[in-house]
Amino acid sequence: KNLKFIGVTAVEDRLQDGVPDTISIIKQAGIRVWVLTGDKTETAVDIAKSCQLFTDTTTMAYATGATDAKDAEDRLLKAHSALDSQKDTGLVLDGQTLIHALNSMECRKIIYDLGVVSRSCICSRLSPMQKLELVKLVREQNSLAITLAIGDGANDVPMIQGAHLGIAIRGKEGTQAVQASDIAISYFRFLVPLLFCHGRRAYRRVALFLSFYLYKNVALLMCD
């Protein structure tokens, strides 16, 4: 009241170069991609479509706006039935639904099953601790799963520290994520050579080293 409207300003948050191609390659490798964000659901879905996380052929299911634990479970089960037996699938969750769902062991199991059924997932309106809880959920439900978290801001720090491998992107949002991460990269597209080249080579080198290390011990014991 009693204010004079002068104008509107906007901030454009562009995607980095190579993000759609990177996500496409990661999905082709069989890696499931979850985007955990604090943005509104509509904004998160639009960004997911612009970076090719969701395509025109993606079968999408929503489990958002739950009011209690029973409502959250019903929405999750409905989403699971919609995605089951489909090929290219996408899931959309929100923080309000997860507030009720994460307190129930049945709902936690359904969320993990949805993650297995869907090729990609958007979780919107999340707090930093909810991001961490989702990482813990995957590790809890499948002890053999390997989790990787990547972020660039202070609100991603709990998630980065909770995953098996935490990767930070150096940006304009401070250095908290870089300091808390295992590996820091400058651009999101560097994730492809990091995973498929350097990561595989490091795995093979460590495996080879361990093999010779065991034989070395056997040789020393036999000589003694």
Side-chain angles (χ1 to χ4, degrees):
K1 188 178 179 181
N2 299 324
L3 295 177
K4 182 182 292 185
F5 179 77
I6 297 177
V8 177
T9 61
V11 177
E12 184 178 13
D13 190 7
R14 288 186 177 182
L15 289 174
Q16 291 185 358
D17 293 337
V19 171
D21 294 336
T22 301
I23 291 179
S24 177
I25 293 171
I26 291 174
K27 290 179 66 176
Q28 289 176 22
I31 299 174
R32 286 176 171 78
V33 181
W34 284 45
V35 177
L36 312 182
T37 178
D39 293 339
K40 291 175 58 179
T41 301
E42 296 80 3
T43 304
V45 172
D46 288 341
I47 293 173
K49 291 179 179 178
S50 67
C51 66
Q52 298 300 309
L53 187 67
F54 295 157
T55 63
D56 295 335
T57 61
T58 301
T59 301
M60 295 179 58
Y62 287 77
T64 58
T67 56
D68 53 42
K70 184 63 172 64
D71 187 26
E73 184 176 357
D74 292 341
R75 292 173 186 267
L76 291 171
L77 289 173
K78 184 178 179 181
H80 190 282
S81 62
L83 298 181
D84 197 18
S85 73
Q86 300 291 331
K87 290 184 178 180
D88 186 10
T89 54
L91 174 66
V92 180
L93 301 173
D94 68 346
Q96 182 179 344
T97 301
L98 290 175
I99 287 175
H100 304 292
L102 291 175
N103 294 325
S104 167
M105 293 305 298
E106 293 79 8
C107 289
R108 292 175 74 92
K109 180 68 168 62
I110 298 171
I111 292 173
Y112 175 75
D113 291 339
L114 275 169
V116 174
V117 170
S118 60
R119 295 286 300 138
S120 51
C121 174
I122 289 288
C123 298
S124 61
R125 286 299 188 190
L126 296 187
S127 67
M129 294 312 297
Q130 283 180 317
K131 296 179 181 182
L132 174 62
E133 283 297 320
L134 284 174
V135 174
K136 287 183 176 179
L137 184 147
V138 175
R139 300 185 64 168
E140 166 194 301
Q141 296 292 329
N142 185 356
S143 59
L144 299 179
I146 299 176
T147 56
L148 182 152
I150 181 169
D152 63 351
N155 57 347
D156 299 318
V157 169
M159 172 183 69
I160 289 172
Q161 292 180 330
H164 289 95
L165 178 61
I167 299 177
I169 301 176
R170 298 186 188 92
K172 300 178 180 179
E173 297 190 27
T175 60
Q176 292 94 332
V178 173
Q179 293 172 351
S181 66
D182 300 306
I183 300 172
I185 58 179
S186 298
Y187 298 99
F188 185 83
R189 66 177 182 271
F190 292 168
L191 194 58
V192 170
L194 178 64
L195 289 178
F196 302 126
C197 179
H198 302 295
R200 179 172 175 80
R201 286 181 179 176
Y203 175 82
R204 293 176 65 88
R205 287 167 180 164
V206 170
L208 184 64
F209 163 76
L210 289 176
S211 297
F212 282 103
Y213 187 80
L214 294 174
Y215 283 120
K216 181 205 72 171
N217 289 340
V218 172
L220 289 174
L221 290 173
M222 294 298 292
C223 292
D224 291 341

